[in-house]
Amino acid sequence: MSSARILGQAIIGLAAQTVEIEATISNGLPQLNIVGMSENRAKQSRERVRSAIEHAGFKLPDRRIVINLAPSDVPKEHAGFDLPIALSILIASQQLEAARFNDLCAMGELSLTGEIRAVPGLLIAALACEERGLTLLQANQVQTGRQATLSAGLGIHHLSDLKLPLRSMTALKLDKNEEPTIPRPGLDDIKGQQTAKRALIIAATGGHHLLLFGPPGSGKTMLAKRILGLMAPLTEQEAVEIACIQSVAAGTFPGRMLERPFREVHHSTSAAALIGGGSPPRPGEITLAHLGVLLLDELPEFTHAVLNQLRQPLESGSIDLSRAHYKVRFPAKFQLIAAMNPCPCGWLGSRRPCRCSVEHITRYRNRVSGPILDRIDLQVEVPALDPKIFFREPPMRHQDEHEIAIDQIQQARAFRLQRLQTTPQPDDKDALDPGAKRLLMQAAQTLHFSARAIQKLIRVGRTIADLDCTANISPRHLEEALVLRQT
Ligand SMILES: [Zn+2]
C-alpha cells in the first residue's frame, strides 16, 4: 500500500482552516472513494478528478484509491479540494515526487480536461497560508482583476503544469499597497443643496449615519454617492478586508482598483440578501458595504423584518450568522445613508400639490421611527431645486468647492487624532462649554429630547467642533447640530 498527504484550505466565513488530504492506494477492485466531505461534493469531485487526471497525461491507478479529508467535521463547501485530491493521488502513485510538494497547500477546481479554476475564498486561503509559512498552489488569478495583485503563492493553469519544475510557475505576489486612483465625483457638480452638502461633510468626518428626505428627483441618491469622495482613503488593512469579502462573494470584483464599496439596496430586498446566509455562508449586502456606504432608498417601504436585521450590525459593526452546521461572523461596519420622500406621494412641501391626508403622512413616517431612526444622527431635508439656482452660474469654480471640503475634513481628522492622543477616552459631554450646556438643556426641555437624542446631538456637535479645530463644543456647534436633525 502506498500513501501521500497534501494540505488544502476550507473557508468558513472569512477564515481559512487547514485540511489534510490523505490518499491511500491498495490492491483491490479499482475504485475511487472520497470520505470526509459531503456525499454530493465527493461525487462531483470524483468525476472531475478522474477525468482531469486522464486528460492531463497522467494515469489513474487501476487499484483501490481512498481519499480522506480531515478533520471530517470542518465544512468543505467549495470545489477547491479537486486540486489537492488529484495531487495526492499522483504523489501516492509515484507519478509526482513527494519531496517537491512539502510545505505546499493546494486549492483549485478542476475542469474535466484538467484546467484549474479559481474558487471563492482563494485570497483568504492565500493570506492564511502566508501566515502559516506555507505556499499556496492555486488557480492563476491574473484574469480576475484586483484580486490578482493581492494573491500570494504559485499560479498554475492546468493539472499537467505539475510536471514542470515549481520554480517555473507564476509566482503571485502579495501587494497590498495599491492606492485607489479613480477620481470620485465630488460635490462640485451638484447645484445648490448647501445644507445637504454640509451634512455630507459632517457625516464623512465623524462617521455619522445620515437620512436625506425630500421629493423625488431632488438628487438624494446623487448626493449620497458623493460621500465616497469625502471619506478617508483606504488603509492597507481596510483594503485587505474588502478584498477578502469580495473573494468569498465571488464574481463581484469591482474592476482593477479597490475602493470603498457603495451598495444601494432596494426595498424589495429580502432579509437574507441583506444580512447574508446560505451554504456555504455568503456575505449579504451589509457585509458587501463593509467600510463603505449602504444606501437604503425609500426607507419607509422597507418591511420591519428587514429593518430589524440592521440593529445588530449598526450596534456592533458585524453580523453573526448561525445555521445548523456553521456559525460565522461577517464584518458589517458600514455608513448608513437612508433616503425617503416627505410623504407617500412625495410632493409635500414642494411646489406640486400633495394629495396625502395627514393620517397617511403620519403612518408613512411612523414606519421608519424606532430602532433605525434612533441610530441616524443626521436628518436633512433635500428640497426640490429652484430652477433659478439650476441656471445660475456657480459662485466659485466647481473644483474649489470639493477641494475645500476635502481640506477641511483632513484637518478635522488630524485635529481629532491629536485631541484623542492628549485625552485617550474623552467624554464628549465634558467638552461642552457653559453656553452650550445651557442651550442643550433648554432644547431638551422644550423639544422633549430623549437621553439618546441628547447624546446624538453632542456627538454631531463634537464633529462640527472638530471641523472648526476647536477643543470645546460651543453653542454655535450645537445649533448647527440641531438644524441637522429636522425630523
Ligand atoms: Zn403627499
Side-chain angles (χ1 to χ4, degrees), residues 144-147 150 182 184 234 239 242-243 245-247 250-263 288:
T144 51
R146 169 69 196 203
Q147 202 179 9
L150 280 155
I182 297 172
R184 280 273 172 201
L234 283 177
I242 293 174
I245 291 168
Q246 286 168 356
S247 169
T252 59
F253 300 109
R256 299 297 303 177
M257 305 304 290
L258 199 66
E259 306 176 277
R260 288 190 189 277
F262 184 92
R263 306 292 298 190
L288 294 171

Side-chain angles (χ1 to χ4, degrees), residues 343-348 354-356:
C343 66
C345 84
W347 301 108
L348 183 72
C354 164
R355 302 176 309 249
C356 312

Side-chain angles (χ1 to χ4, degrees), residues 296-472:
L296 303 182
D297 201 3
E298 300 191 44
L299 187 64
E301 304 296 334
F302 283 81
T303 63
H304 277 291
V306 168
L307 290 183
N308 275 335
Q309 301 280 0
L310 290 174
R311 289 170 67 168
Q312 188 210 334
L314 281 173
E315 208 67 56
S316 64
S318 62
I319 182 84
D320 292 319
L321 300 174
S322 64
R323 299 289 179 271
H325 55 291
Y326 66 78
K327 235 185 201 138
V328 298
R329 173 169 290 177
F330 281 127
K333 216 170 111 193
F334 53 85
Q335 201 158 346
L336 177 69
I337 300 189
M340 65 183 279
N341 294 336
C343 66
C345 84
W347 301 108
L348 183 72
S350 69
R351 282 181 306 282
R352 294 221 345 219
C354 164
R355 302 176 309 249
C356 312
S357 67
V358 177
E359 195 185 315
H360 266 122
I361 295 172
T362 317
R363 204 183 310 150
Y364 178 78
R365 293 199 179 175
N366 282 347
R367 272 193 242 162
V368 296
S369 62
I372 296 303
L373 210 55
D374 247 12
R375 289 171 172 81
I376 301 181
D377 291 346
L378 297 166
Q379 298 164 9
V380 182
E381 190 180 357
V382 183
L385 194 62
D386 185 337
K388 273 184 265 166
I389 295 180
F390 189 78
F391 290 109
R392 198 169 60 198
E393 280 302 306
M396 53 174 139
R397 219 165 38 83
H398 278 332
Q399 194 60 33
D400 293 346
E401 188 178 6
H402 192 69
E403 275 168 19
I404 290 169
I406 295 281
D407 278 352
Q408 231 186 346
I409 293 169
Q410 278 171 354
Q411 272 173 27
R413 279 193 198 115
F415 177 79
R416 185 180 52 201
L417 213 63
Q418 199 192 6
R419 181 168 63 73
L420 293 176
Q421 270 164 1
T422 41
T423 11
Q425 279 177 319
D427 188 343
D428 290 342
K429 197 161 80 244
D430 299 337
L432 292 165
D433 72 16
K437 259 186 208 144
R438 264 198 308 280
L439 176 74
L440 192 62
M441 252 142 61
Q442 279 167 7
Q445 274 166 6
T446 42
L447 300 168
H448 307 291
F449 281 156
S450 64
R452 197 196 282 267
I454 293 172
Q455 225 169 20
K456 279 198 297 194
L457 269 177
I458 298 175
R459 276 193 51 194
V460 175
R462 177 66 268 169
T463 304
I464 297 172
D466 282 343
L467 278 162
D468 256 1
C469 296
T470 57
N472 282 343

